[in-house]
Amino acid sequence: MTESAPATIDLTPPLGPIGQRWGATTMQAGFTVLPNALIRRQHELRLSPIEFNVIVHLLMHWWFADAMPFPSTERISSAIGVSERTVARNFKSLERKGLLRRVPRRSEANHRETNLYDLSLLVAAIGLQAEALLPEREAKKRMAATREVQPPS
């Protein structure tokens, strides 16, 4: 009589629709939620491609609604392949456009630390863009519902 190895239990949670598209490894490495209004209305928000990319990186570091992100310009510049100066210029541009506010930080020893980035202005601007998308979305839903109820000809 041979003994069999004990059965192993797979404790990996099942992949949802997003995980099924991207795979478990990619999901375990992390992901960032982006509102469709930000993606679809970047022209209306007057975002350059680099500004959009900077915003994506800020959102990647924004984990809690009540805690402002604080990535360094060095970290962002390294990730997107531009100079720190380019990232800094884009932060200034985003501030001038009324989409974010930089909040300087200092350590207890009064040394400069990375800025905090207040994204409440961006959230408000994206909210307005989302409102502009809703009628189009509702029209598409009505059209799809109409197609579903019509008998085949």
Side-chain angles (χ1 to χ4, degrees), residues 27-89:
M27 295 302 291
Q28 290 168 356
F31 57 92
T32 300
V33 176
L34 294 177
N36 286 344
L38 171 61
I39 298 166
R40 293 185 56 201
R41 306 283 289 194
Q42 52 190 295
H43 176 72
E44 288 81 356
L45 289 164
R46 302 180 342 239
L47 295 176
S48 73
I50 293 178
E51 288 170 338
F52 179 82
N53 213 334
V54 166
I55 286 171
V56 168
H57 280 272
L58 287 175
L59 296 177
M60 184 178 70
H61 289 83
W62 189 28
W63 302 310
F64 303 103
D66 61 349
M68 291 183 260
F70 52 92
S72 67
T73 55
E74 178 184 14
R75 174 172 281 185
I76 295 172
S77 69
S78 174
I80 66 177
V82 298
S83 70
E84 287 184 59
R85 184 73 193 116
T86 296
V87 172
R89 278 194 304 267

Side-chain angles (χ1 to χ4, degrees), residues 106-147:
R106 294 231 173 242
S107 69
E108 289 184 21
N110 205 29
H111 293 84
R112 284 192 65 197
E113 293 188 350
T114 59
N115 290 324
L116 294 169
Y117 296 96
D118 179 351
L119 302 177
S120 60
L121 298 169
L122 177 68
V123 169
I126 293 172
L128 291 174
Q129 295 303 320
E131 286 178 19
L133 290 174
L134 290 178
E136 176 187 328
R137 187 176 176 103
E138 290 303 316
K140 285 182 180 179
K141 283 183 183 177
R142 283 192 303 275
M143 191 178 292
T146 303
R147 282 191 299 247

